[in-house]
Amino acid sequence: MTLEATDMSVLRLQSTNGRSPATSESPDLAELARTTGTRFILAVFTTLSGKPCAKLVPVESVEELQTDGVGFAGYAAGTIGQVPKDPDLVAIPDASSFTPIPFVREGLALVHCDPHVEGKPWPFAPRVILKSVLAEAARKGLSVKVGAEIEYFLVQRDEHGALRTADRLDTSRQPCYDARDVTRMYDHLTSISAAMNRLGWGNYANDHEDGNGQFEQNFQYADALTTADRVVTLRYLLSVLAEQRGMTATFMPKPFADRTGSGMHMHLSLWRGETPVFPDAADPRGLGLSETAYSFIAGILEHAGALQGVIAPTVNSYKRTGATTTSSGATWSPRYATYGGNDRTHYLRVPDANRVELRGGDGSANPYLATAATVAAGLDGIERCLDPGVPGVGGSSDTLPMTLLHAMDALSADPVVSGALDTAGPGVADYFASLKREEFFQWHNTVTPWEIDSYLTAF
């Protein structure tokens, strides 16, 4: 059976907050594979650094996959908290996340998995961490919905290995929203849009962003776990479909020094059942928000320094947040932990009374960790009834961390954000901070062309 003949409601089966893939509520993975004509399944999990790892499982073994999962040498996978002697990491599929992707290869599907070790959820697995934080929210009677904006560049390398814009005609000084640049990338953009819509994600816009070669493709918000899964899936789709056209899709925060960096803005809202928590028409501060919403904002602002270590987790991230200008004249990345209305210069923007937009994250952020840490910070604000101050003024006048090293120091000193990483088990925050400090010093110990140009004959 082809995807076109498939009941699209099958494709919209998604995980609910905190639900275990082993419960009786879960759809039958074998039946989903049969219904959609799937021949192979990518059983996917991500490392702490956001790398998607997978094994390709033939449909003939789908029953074994569903029952027993599939094993990995965790240490070989990368940043997942294992050493060579550790037992296998076993990826247990969440059938609710089953996603046919025949536009990549006919008969191919993927399913997101929760890594386990010796029968227990592995606390260093980002998806497990997010589910644990969402379970904490559920115990408070709250659920979380998230929308994510995915920005990326389409690039190639020249004969000397240097990066260049894949579309060589995309050279204008103000390319944002340029209809001609969008049209030249029509085949790529429409293939991604069609894929999202066939999956029921609700792609509603595809545009050229502020930097030459930079694009954004949007889809409707959903529950927090579903959106995080979709971010991982979309990055995979963008990467492989761009590669098929001889391009590289990069989510690197700042691939070009003189261009805008790529963010991963998150739109967050809280709900009690089917009732949104954020709106309040009687709000005296003018943004139409409830006191709960303001406390959620205050929590994020209070923990912003530590939060940056999770939502901007690379050395390159701080080339984006530290930028003072670009060729277009704006950076669109906040340097201070402030909030306000429909104003994109703030760390937290309030576009309307239904949501808040966190603008500090970038394209290197792991969506599971980014969501978990942000939700934990906001819930702490609610728990402590924090007040963010006056819109447009409230928040911190201190700059956000200037480097990854500063961000890791802030993370280690913040029990709420580090506690979010440790929600599923202790030691994750320390492990994550250690990895990132090592990353910083690896970069710091590299002699760059800038240093040669600046110092070779300076003394």
Side-chain angles (χ1 to χ4, degrees), residues 131-168:
K131 291 175 74 172
S132 297
V133 170
L134 296 177
E136 288 288 334
R139 283 190 279 274
K140 301 176 187 294
L142 297 169
S143 62
V144 185
K145 296 187 179 181
V146 177
E149 300 179 23
I150 308 302
E151 296 177 347
Y152 63 98
F153 281 86
L154 290 171
V155 299
Q156 294 170 330
R157 288 186 180 272
D158 65 19
E159 60 274 18
H160 304 294
L163 282 185
R164 66 185 180 200
T165 307
D167 176 6
R168 300 191 191 189

Side-chain angles (χ1 to χ4, degrees), residues 114-307:
D114 294 321
H116 287 58
V117 174
E118 297 185 325
K120 297 179 180 179
W122 185 235
F124 291 80
R127 197 173 191 270
V128 171
I129 292 169
L130 175 56
K131 291 175 74 172
S132 297
V133 170
L134 296 177
E136 288 288 334
R139 283 190 279 274
K140 301 176 187 294
L142 297 169
S143 62
V144 185
K145 296 187 179 181
V146 177
E149 300 179 23
I150 308 302
E151 296 177 347
Y152 63 98
F153 281 86
L154 290 171
V155 299
Q156 294 170 330
R157 288 186 180 272
D158 65 19
E159 60 274 18
H160 304 294
L163 282 185
R164 66 185 180 200
T165 307
D167 176 6
R168 300 191 191 189
L169 297 179
D170 187 349
T171 58
S172 67
R173 295 187 64 181
Q174 197 164 24
C176 199
Y177 308 128
D178 194 300
R180 296 158 295 187
D181 294 338
V182 169
T183 303
R184 285 195 302 276
M185 282 296 171
Y186 180 87
D187 288 344
H188 167 79
L189 295 173
T190 56
S191 70
I192 299 297
S193 173
M196 286 193 279
N197 282 329
R198 286 171 70 180
L199 294 171
W201 293 7
N203 168 245
Y204 60 87
N206 309 275
D207 67 78
H208 195 297
E209 284 293 303
D210 196 50
N212 298 108
Q214 187 184 37
F215 296 88
E216 179 181 307
Q217 301 189 255
N218 303 117
F219 55 92
Q220 295 289 344
Y221 72 91
D223 71 87
L225 184 61
T226 294
T227 293
D229 284 342
R230 288 177 177 178
V231 170
V232 172
T233 302
L234 181 56
R235 286 176 177 171
Y236 166 78
L237 294 177
L238 285 165
S239 296
V240 297
L241 294 181
E243 188 177 64
Q244 290 175 7
R245 291 186 166 87
M247 303 181 293
T248 296
T250 179
F251 311 99
M252 182 179 177
K254 189 77 169 173
F256 298 98
D258 62 344
R259 304 183 199 179
T260 307
S262 290
M264 188 187 77
H265 303 152
M266 295 194 302
H267 297 255
L268 302 106
S269 60
L270 296 181
W271 299 69
R272 294 189 187 276
E274 298 301 314
T275 303
V277 171
F278 281 1
D280 184 351
D283 173 19
R285 303 191 220 198
L287 295 181
L289 297 178
S290 65
E291 286 304 308
T292 300
Y294 282 112
S295 291
F296 187 80
I297 288 170
I300 293 174
L301 295 178
E302 176 157 311
H303 299 289
L307 191 57

Side-chain angles (χ1 to χ4, degrees), residues 63-74:
E63 297 283 0
E64 183 179 350
L65 171 63
Q66 180 169 245
T67 303
D68 301 327
V70 61
F72 296 79

Side-chain angles (χ1 to χ4, degrees), residues 280-432:
D280 184 351
D283 173 19
R285 303 191 220 198
L287 295 181
L289 297 178
S290 65
E291 286 304 308
T292 300
Y294 282 112
S295 291
F296 187 80
I297 288 170
I300 293 174
L301 295 178
E302 176 157 311
H303 299 289
L307 191 57
Q308 283 303 106
V310 180
I311 67 176
T314 66
V315 166
N316 186 249
S317 298
Y318 298 87
K319 308 293 178 70
R320 172 180 173 268
T321 56
T324 55
T325 188
T326 65
S327 57
S328 73
T331 68
W332 305 108
S333 55
R335 303 188 75 184
Y336 303 93
T338 61
Y339 87 105
N342 196 2
D343 178 347
R344 287 179 169 84
T345 64
H346 287 294
Y347 188 70
L348 276 173
R349 179 174 77 115
V350 183
D352 55 54
N354 298 301
R355 60 197 161 116
V356 297
E357 179 193 15
L358 177 59
R359 297 181 56 82
D362 64 45
S364 66
N366 183 310
Y368 302 110
L369 298 183
T371 305
T374 303
V375 170
L379 292 179
D380 180 63
I382 294 173
E383 185 76 19
R384 296 163 56 204
C385 298
L386 297 180
D387 189 314
V390 179
V393 178
S396 174
S397 60
D398 296 334
T399 57
L400 295 169
M402 295 300 294
T403 69
L404 182 62
L405 188 62
H406 291 89
M408 287 307 108
D409 289 344
L411 173 61
S412 295
D414 190 309
V416 170
V417 177
S418 60
L421 299 187
D422 287 342
T423 301
V428 180
D430 287 345
Y431 174 79
F432 181 82

